[in-house]
């Protein structure tokens, strides 16, 4: 049940708004629950043809030769489409807003970079005939070494996944191979800290698994226009992307969307529309292109897998004084939306906490895996997961209740964020208090009385100087270093001499495969 | 070539249609066959169905029970006399799959599926098969070993002895997603007891080899002994003998070997 806490921040809210703060039924809900909603696939057009795609069985291979002669003669085949038939056969979604270079072909030409990459499309009278013709296409592959691990992909000599980005990293502002955040002097913070805790977090890619797989139907309309019924969740992105790939003015298309049979980010990529329209252009007939479930998982993007290293310096009284984060987003073979996820991630560091020294390096890395994309809070969700696991571990380390530990470190109004913006309307403390109350989690009286509106600003609003070069790290004599998952375990006794400098981003710790969520137990999966 | 659907009234006709056409596939509940067709499996061009009522019959009149190949898991769950098979039936898929999926189809379901078959293997079931030339009964082990060659044959029914006591038959499926999902390991044990000692123990494992297999070393460790801690430990210690699991998305071969003994111990000691 919806409960609005109107007593909190009553002075900051306007209760005369028509929608905000009120429960309103979604306009499409009734159609969904009564089965009356119309999806793209509910359109059965006369003379409709079916498009199916030949996909790469290799994660990385050169295409030596593609022979479609036998497939062309197969029964029911109306048209075979190859990379050369696509007017502008290189695209990336966010190039529409000048963010990133075009790096993904609609149909592979020189090589394939992930298992499931489309190579040849066949338009036939029935899906079955299209499948049978696909089996007759002969492709001569030269398998190439592939890389599946983000840190392996950054090592010198790693296979180049995507020639648009020869170093296997997305390039920001035509210059930088990662996104940076620098605030204060993180090494000095570690040197002053009573405890230092470094952890590694590894996420899995997650399939959105929409009930309706990605698909579209394109049909010739009057006056040289095309009508497109589609499951996209980004109608105008999709329309503009098609105009670009097919090299026609965008008013050539009439896109009809609206009902997305489950999106969650997985229907933002414009996967099926360009080839469906091209099929309609080349045959003069309506063309339907819908992904099967397996195609949806191989070609439709998952949530990207992130690897996150967090190193925190914390005082005995629970204040976090330094936080250093190194994260790698696995973009798969092409950019799609991972580059943007990295920007969002950098904007989210160091979480909703006031920390005087913050240092972040976030990389968007190309590997020979299915390209990743948007999914519900991408760039933030995984980072939050890691940060909050870390918060629990830190609370445990200093012996403070985890809820209180969060309240202690939470942003207060007037604090300075690591992005050099003043924190306003922060409200985290109140959220944690309400959550604790709901969960019947006991909080100390003085913690219950804390507020995000008091005790902020002052020294917490200062921007401490940020060194250009990292200062050599000195460990305080009484410092205790705690390591959960890095071998060898470090003794809880103070180290005799200065500890070695932290690992540099360019020489990450060697690691293969993935560590499951809990890095506490050091269980590694290959 | 479009897909042809052929429906026959008698199992004999269906069996000869199957055995005479390599691209023909029998349609049970279709949970696997229809998926294959939708995903573009062009090796199937004929779908054979049989409407013979005998295929969906359950016979529980004697101590021996017979289940038609076309019986769904939902139907097994609705049959009180088959309570000992409810755990394996319930462990399969979600309600949609249990409503359609059949006992016959489960005999052909590849890893990580085929859970019901694990139970049947532990129960030493007999599989009635109709080939082009006539019907015959096969012990389930023999059936599974020749499964690849059975593709032209029609399974009519499976039958087995009802376990003497509720405790004599045990089943456990380890999955990552509950209640549905492919199996990491499936275990079933039939442990008949006579004068306090196990006699004729059968333990079957799923997802521990290309096919459902018996844990013969564990069976030997139990044979002639009381089901006490010592016997259970001895069986658990040798549970992985003779297995050849593979890696898949649900678990690695290494993991499966590591945990099979743990789960066998829990199964035998009646722990949840
Ligand atoms: C979402 C999902 C979840 C699933 N979960 C599970 C699970 O948890 N555990 C599990 O064991 N399985 C699971 N399965 C697999 C499958 O549904 C079951 O194994 C089911 O028993 C298959 O039966 P069916 O009648 O649907 O087979 P069908 O798809 O009709 O047939 C499968 C194969 O068996 C052959 N066949 C079927 N009946 C006969 C017969 N009478 N004679 C000869 N050949 C025959 C078919 O020709 C085909 O080759 C799942 C499937 C899906 C789609």
């Amino acid at each position: 049940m919806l409960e609005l806490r109107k007593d909190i921040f009553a002075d900051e809210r306007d209760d005369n708004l028509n929608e905000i703060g009120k429960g309103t039924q979604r306009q499409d809900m009734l159609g969904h629950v009564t089965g009356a909603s119309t999806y793209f696939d509910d359109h059965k057009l006369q003379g409709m043809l079916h498009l199916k795609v030949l996909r790469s069985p290799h994660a990385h291979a050169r295409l030596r030769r593609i022979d479609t002669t036998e497939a062309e003669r197969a029964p029911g085949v109306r048209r075979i489409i190859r990379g050369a038939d696509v007017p502008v056969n290189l695209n990336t979604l966010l190039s529409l807003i000048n963010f990133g270079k075009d790096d993904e072909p609609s149909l592979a030409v020189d090589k394939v970079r992930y298992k499931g990459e489309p190579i040849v499309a066949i338009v036939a009278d029935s899906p079955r005939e299209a499948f049978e013709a696909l089996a007759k296409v002969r492709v001569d592959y030269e398998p190439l070494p592939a890389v599946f691990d983000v840190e392996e992909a950054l090592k010198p000599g790693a296979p180049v996944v995507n020639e648009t980005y020869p170093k296997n990293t997305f390039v920001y502002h035509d210059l930088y191979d990662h996104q940076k955040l620098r605030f204060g002097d993180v090494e000095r913070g570690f040197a002053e800290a009573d405890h230092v805790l470094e952890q590694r977090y590894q996420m899995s890619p997650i399939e959105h698994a929409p009930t309706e797989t990605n698909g579209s139907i394109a049909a010739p309309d009057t006056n040289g226009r095309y009508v497109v019924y589609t499951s996209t969740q980004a109608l105008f992105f999709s329309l503009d992307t098609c105009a670009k790939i097919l090299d026609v003015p965008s008013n050539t298309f009439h896109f009809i969307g609206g009902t997305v049979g489950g999106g969650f980010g997985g229907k933002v990529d414009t996967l099926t529309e360009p080839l469906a329209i091209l099929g309609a252009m080349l045959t003069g007939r309506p063309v339907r292109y819908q992904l099967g479930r397996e195609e949806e998982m191989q070609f439709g993007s998952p949530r990207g897998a992130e690897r996150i290293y967090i190193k925190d310096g914390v005082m005995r009284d629970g204040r976090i004084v330094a936080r250093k984060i190194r994260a790698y987003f696995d973009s798969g073979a092409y950019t799609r939306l991972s580059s943007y996820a990295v920007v969002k991630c950098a904007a989210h560091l160091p979480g909703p906490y006031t920390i005087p020294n913050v240092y972040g390096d976030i990389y968007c890395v190309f590997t020979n895996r299915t390209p990743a994309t948007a999914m519900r809070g991408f760039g933030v969700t995984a980072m939050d997961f890691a940060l909050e696991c870390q918060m629990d571990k830190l609370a445990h380390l200093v012996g403070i209740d985890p809820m209180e530990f969060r309240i202690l470190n939470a942003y207060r109004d007037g604090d300075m964020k690591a992005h050099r913006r003043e924190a306003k309307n922060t409200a985290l403390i109140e959220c944690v208090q309400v959550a604790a109350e709901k969960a019947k989690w006991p909080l100390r009286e003085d913690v219950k009385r804390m507020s995000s509106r008091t005790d902020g600003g002052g020294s917490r609003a200062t921007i401490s100087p940020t060194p250009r070069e990292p200062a050599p790290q000195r460990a305080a004599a009484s410092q205790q270093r705690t390591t959960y998952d890095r071998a060898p375990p470090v003794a809880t006794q103070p180290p005799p001499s200065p500890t070695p400098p932290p690992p540099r981003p360019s020489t990450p710790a060697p690691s293969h495969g993935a560590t499951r969520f809990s890095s506490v137990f050091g269980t590694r999966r290959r | 070539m479009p897909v042809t659907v052929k429906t026959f009234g008698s199992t004999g006709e269906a069996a000869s249609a199957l055995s005479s056409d390599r691209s023909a596939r029998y349609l049970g509940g279709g949970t696997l066959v229809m998926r294959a067709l939708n995903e573009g499996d062009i090796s199937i061009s004929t779908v054979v169905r049989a409407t013979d009522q005998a295929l969906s019959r359950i016979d529980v009149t004697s101590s021996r029970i017979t289940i038609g190949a076309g019986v769904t898991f939902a139907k097994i769950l609705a049959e009180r006399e088959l309570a000992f098979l409810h755990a394996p039936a319930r462990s399969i898929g979600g309600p949609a799959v249990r409503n359609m999926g059949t006992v016959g189809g489960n005999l052909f379901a590849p890893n990580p599926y085929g859970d019901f078959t694990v139970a049947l293997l532990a129960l030493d079931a007999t599989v009635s098969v109709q080939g082009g030339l006539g019907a015959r009964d096969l012990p389930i082990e023999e059936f599974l070993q020749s499964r690849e060659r059975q593709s032209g044959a029609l399974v009519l029914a499976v039958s087995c002895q009802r376990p003497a006591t509720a405790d004599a038959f045990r089943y456990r499926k380890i999955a990552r997603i509950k209640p549905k999902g492919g199996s990491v390991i499936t275990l079933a044990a039939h442990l008949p007891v006579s004068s306090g000692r196990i006699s004729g123990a059968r333990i079957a494992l799923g997802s521990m080899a290309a096919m459902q297999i018996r844990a013969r070393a564990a069976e030997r460790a139990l044979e002639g002994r009381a089901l006490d801690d010592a016997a259970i430990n001895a069986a658990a210690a040798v549970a992985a003998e003779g297995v050849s699991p593979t890696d898949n998305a649900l678990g690695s071969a290494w993991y499966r070997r590591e945990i099979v003994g743990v789960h066998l111990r829990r199964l035998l000691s009646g722990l949840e």
Side-chain angles (χ1 to χ4, degrees), chain B residues 124-142:
Chain B
D124 197 12
T126 300
V127 182
S128 307
V129 179
Q130 172 126 36
L133 301 171
R136 64 198 176 111
D137 287 349
L138 291 174
I140 186 165
E141 249 181 307
E142 200 182 306

Side-chain angles (χ1 to χ4, degrees), chain A residues 281-510:
Chain A
M281 287 175 162
L282 295 173
T283 60
R285 300 263 293 269
V287 171
R288 172 179 176 274
Y289 173 21
Q290 179 164 31
L291 304 183
R293 182 57 61 187
E294 215 164 302
E295 287 183 299
E296 178 72 37
M297 298 181 82
Q298 279 198 329
F299 172 55
S301 337
R303 180 195 281 286
E306 298 94 340
R307 179 170 305 159
I308 299 167
Y309 292 93
I310 307 179
K311 182 176 171 183
D312 282 335
V314 62
M315 305 307 290
R316 271 187 211 97
D317 64 9
R319 278 175 300 124
I320 306 172
V321 290
R323 173 163 280 176
K324 186 169 188 175
I325 294 179
R326 190 156 43 91
Y328 305 91
F329 279 56
D330 190 342
S331 181
Y334 298 107
T335 310
R336 296 200 188 164
L337 281 168
S338 298
S339 54
Y340 173 52
V342 163
V343 174
K344 287 213 292 173
C345 178
H348 183 67
L349 301 181
Y353 305 107
T354 296
I355 301 175
N357 305 293
V358 180
Y359 182 110
D361 285 339
I362 325 288
Y363 294 77
C364 173
V365 185
F366 296 100
T367 62
N368 292 104
R369 305 193 357 164
T370 297
T373 199
M375 186 185 204
R376 304 221 140 183
F378 64 126
V380 174
T381 318
M383 182 52 80
D384 262 341
F385 172 78
L387 287 175
E388 295 308 322
C389 286
Q390 183 84 355
M391 291 300 281
D392 283 340
K393 292 175 188 172
L394 290 172
H396 182 76
L397 193 60
V398 294
I400 297 181
D401 173 90
M403 292 269 203
E404 290 179 8
F405 183 69
R406 284 173 172 82
I407 289 180
L408 181 72
N409 285 289
Y411 279 150
R412 287 159 167 78
D413 290 359
D415 285 2
M416 183 52 60
K417 298 205 250 183
H419 308 91
R420 297 172 166 76
R421 289 279 180 281
E422 190 189 316
K424 290 180 190 151
N425 302 335
T426 52
L428 176 63
I429 293 176
E430 286 74 11
C431 282
V432 178
Q433 287 163 340
V434 172
E437 180 195 319
K438 294 278 172 203
K440 301 193 170 51
W441 186 277
L443 290 181
R444 286 202 325 260
E445 276 311 313
D446 58 324
V447 176
K448 273 192 205 160
R449 279 196 302 274
M450 285 182 183
S451 160
S452 61
R453 305 228 235 177
T454 53
D455 304 322
S459 65
R460 296 167 64 107
T462 54
I463 301 177
S464 40
T466 303
R468 295 210 137 241
E469 293 293 323
Q473 189 194 19
R474 280 184 310 277
S478 62
Q479 184 176 86
Q480 175 185 320
R481 298 184 75 80
T482 305
T483 309
Y484 281 103
D485 67 342
R486 318 307 280 321
V490 181
T492 47
Q493 290 304 310
S497 55
T499 40
R504 278 177 299 128
S506 51
T507 53

